[in-house]
Amino acid sequence: MAAHHGDNLLIYLKLFLTAVLWGGTFVAGRIAAQDMGPASGSFLRFAVASLLLLAMTWQAEGRLPVPARRMLLPLFLLGLTGVAAYNIFFFLGLKLIPASRASLIVASNPVFIALGSALLFKDHLTAPRLAGIALCLTGAVIVISRGDLPGLLGAGIGTGETFILGCIVSWVSYSLIGRGVLKEISPLVAVAYACLSGTIILAAPAFAEGMLPALPGYSLVSWAAILFLGLLGSAVAFIWYYEGIKALGPTRAAVFINFVPVSGVLLGWLILDEKVNLSLIFGAVLVITGAWLTNRAPAKNPGGGS
């Protein structure tokens, strides 16, 4: 019994660290985005992640499973939405807005996944989920508007915020496509192939962006950010999250996702000296509370959210 309790404590620690790592991806992305083009940064991040995930898949499965022909298009679409599109929007947005604001906007992902599942798969929206959706959307509007709703209505959403909203559209698409994929392929294999296909998709725009001649000019800090994004923020964090789902179930494991925006805001303040004002704090409380209510009974999706 003591050993089992100790195993669970290790899983809880890994899930908490996963949330910290995913919060850290917004800081690392903000750093890399100042030095690299969006396609270049995305390609390098997932080239690193793909190598490690493919090696981990080989070790876990004893081989690299070859997907059935009917799964090739869904796996390609996972790479197109959750890796290529998401990360181009991610780098474009983080070039323009603070990591803390971006992490709070992205924290509303579970709300839109729940809405998408209700529309496409007729999932039941319970009263707590509906309350969570309302809270999360209210918090996101406060964060996006910086607490100035009349100003938002008059001037519209900023360019950086629009790009981060593109992250949400991409991740919701990825999650809903992944729902079908996971009926036939394990999460680890699905994510490994999604990362690989996304990296291949990103290669052409990265080269067109001038990545190769720019490589020697990237700073050591930017390379460290890319290694963090690829190794820790993508591959290792996913493996730990997958271990949490396996040990605790998806509902209990997903609760830890709500620490992601908290760590994003704190790390943005500590590392990048980003300002934390009252509207950000109030919006954060609403977003996190709403995401928790919405995410109490999440649908399975391949991977995390950053």
Side-chain angles (χ1 to χ4, degrees):
M1 186 73 178
H4 177 70
H5 182 65
D7 289 343
N8 274 356
L9 282 178
L10 181 59
I11 291 294
Y12 293 144
L13 177 61
K14 284 184 175 181
L15 285 170
F16 176 74
L17 290 175
T18 295
V20 174
L21 291 175
W22 278 339
T25 61
F26 291 91
V27 174
R30 174 83 170 153
I31 292 168
Q34 308 310 309
D35 212 12
M36 303 176 179
S40 302
S42 301
F43 172 81
L44 291 170
R45 171 184 182 175
F46 281 95
V48 171
S50 294
L51 290 173
L52 187 54
L53 279 166
L54 288 171
M56 288 176 166
T57 303
W58 193 292
Q59 183 182 33
E61 303 280 339
R63 62 190 179 89
L64 193 60
V66 178
R69 186 176 296 179
R70 69 179 180 280
M71 299 307 299
L72 294 179
L73 179 59
L75 288 171
F76 171 81
L77 291 175
L78 287 181
L80 178 65
T81 56
V83 175
Y86 179 96
N87 282 277
I88 285 176
F89 285 130
F90 180 80
F91 276 93
L92 284 170
L94 284 170
K95 205 173 189 74
L96 299 172
I97 67 171
S100 52
R101 287 171 53 72
S103 68
L104 285 168
I105 296 169
V106 169
S108 59
N109 260 326
V111 164
F112 292 99
I113 292 170
L115 287 173
S117 295
L119 289 171
L120 296 177
F121 303 111
K122 310 303 180 188
D123 283 1
H124 182 55
L125 286 177
T126 61
R129 277 195 161 192
L130 288 170
I133 287 169
L135 283 173
C136 205
L137 290 178
T138 303
V141 168
I142 289 170
V143 171
I144 290 169
S145 67
R146 296 177 171 85
D148 180 16
L149 186 56
L152 177 66
L153 295 173
I157 297 172
T159 305
E161 286 85 356
T162 302
F163 286 136
I164 298 301
L165 289 174
C167 288
I168 292 176
V169 174
S170 304
W171 193 260
V172 170
S173 303
Y174 169 80
S175 298
L176 297 178
I177 294 165
R179 182 167 170 162
V181 171
L182 287 180
K183 292 177 180 176
E184 303 198 35
I185 298 177
S186 75
L188 179 57
V189 174
V191 171
Y193 275 112
C195 283
L196 183 61
S197 62
T199 304
I200 293 168
I201 293 166
L202 286 164
F207 292 136
E209 202 173 61
M211 181 184 70
L212 283 179
L215 284 175
Y218 295 152
S219 68
L220 287 176
V221 174
S222 291
W223 279 115
I226 287 295
L227 288 175
F228 174 87
L229 286 165
L231 295 175
L232 298 177
S234 301
V236 171
F238 168 72
I239 297 302
W240 284 351
Y241 186 60
Y242 179 42
E243 287 178 5
I245 290 175
K246 192 172 181 180
L248 306 174
T251 302
R252 289 170 67 194
V255 170
F256 286 82
I257 292 176
N258 299 299
F259 288 109
V260 173
V262 178
S263 66
V265 170
L266 287 176
L267 291 170
W269 173 63
L270 287 170
I271 297 172
L272 301 177
D273 198 27
E274 294 180 352
K275 292 181 180 177
V276 179
N277 56 29
L278 191 59
S279 68
L280 193 72
I281 294 169
F282 184 54
V285 171
L286 292 180
V287 167
I288 293 162
T289 305
W292 177 76
L293 283 171
T294 308
N295 215 31
R296 287 174 68 184
K300 287 168 68 179
N301 69 81
S306 59

